[in-house]
Amino acid sequence: KGPVQTVDNLLAKGLMLSPIDFAMVKPNNKSFNASFVLDEGVLIVDGTEEVTVSINVGNITTKDITIQPSKVVYSGLPSNLKATNSYKKNIKITVCGQYAQLKKITANNISVVVDCSKVTDATVETMKLKVKLPNDVVAWVNVVDPSEISVTVE
């Protein structure tokens, strides 16, 4: 229900749904609730606020990879500064995808990166870890444990 032109445009381009966090797709979790994204002034007449979306990604599985904290890469750091971490345990990464794709992933061809581009001076901060998979692999990261580490920049 809404202005005729707006509803006509909506019907022509189709209904849009809120984004689904693909990192949540796992072998045992392929259905998600998604809400409608509607133009201003448009209402769903029957009151339905969301729908269940099932994703068919074929046979997916997971692979756990362990990375040593000394292998963390610090990107965007000014050349006059150096970053380190004192994390003692290994970093556990769980990657999800089809078996043939996961076979291509090893601890040697992924990288764990900390974005230091906003750091301008010496500091000690808790920073988020980001995992970069090889370009030729179709898979996604489900878990990075820990997701953040304390980084010393000096």
Side-chain angles (χ1 to χ4, degrees), residues 55-67:
I55 300 174
N56 182 359
V57 290
N59 293 326
I60 59 172
T61 188
T62 59
K63 181 176 185 175
D64 291 330
I65 300 165
T66 302
I67 302 291

Side-chain angles (χ1 to χ4, degrees), residues 19-51:
I20 294 172
D21 182 358
F22 213 72
M24 300 303 296
V25 177
K26 299 177 184 173
N28 61 349
N29 187 27
K30 299 178 190 175
S31 293
F32 302 89
N33 290 337
S35 56
F36 296 106
V37 177
L38 302 172
D39 292 343
E40 191 171 328
V42 176
L43 302 171
I44 302 287
V45 176
D46 71 359
T48 302
E49 294 184 11
E50 60 184 25
V51 294

Side-chain angles (χ1 to χ4, degrees), residues 108-137:
N108 294 325
N109 67 3
I110 66 172
S111 55
V112 178
V113 180
V114 173
D115 179 6
C116 296
S117 61
K118 295 182 180 171
V119 175
T120 57
D121 295 314
T123 185
V124 176
E125 290 185 35
T126 300
M127 302 180 102
K128 186 172 178 61
L129 295 173
K130 182 178 179 180
V131 176
K132 291 188 178 182
L133 299 175
N135 290 335
D136 66 335
V137 172

Side-chain angles (χ1 to χ4, degrees), residues 4-26:
V4 173
Q5 183 64 41
T6 305
V7 172
D8 285 345
N9 288 340
L10 183 64
L11 292 173
K13 68 181 179 183
L15 284 174
M16 295 206 29
L17 298 175
S18 60
I20 294 172
D21 182 358
F22 213 72
M24 300 303 296
V25 177
K26 299 177 184 173

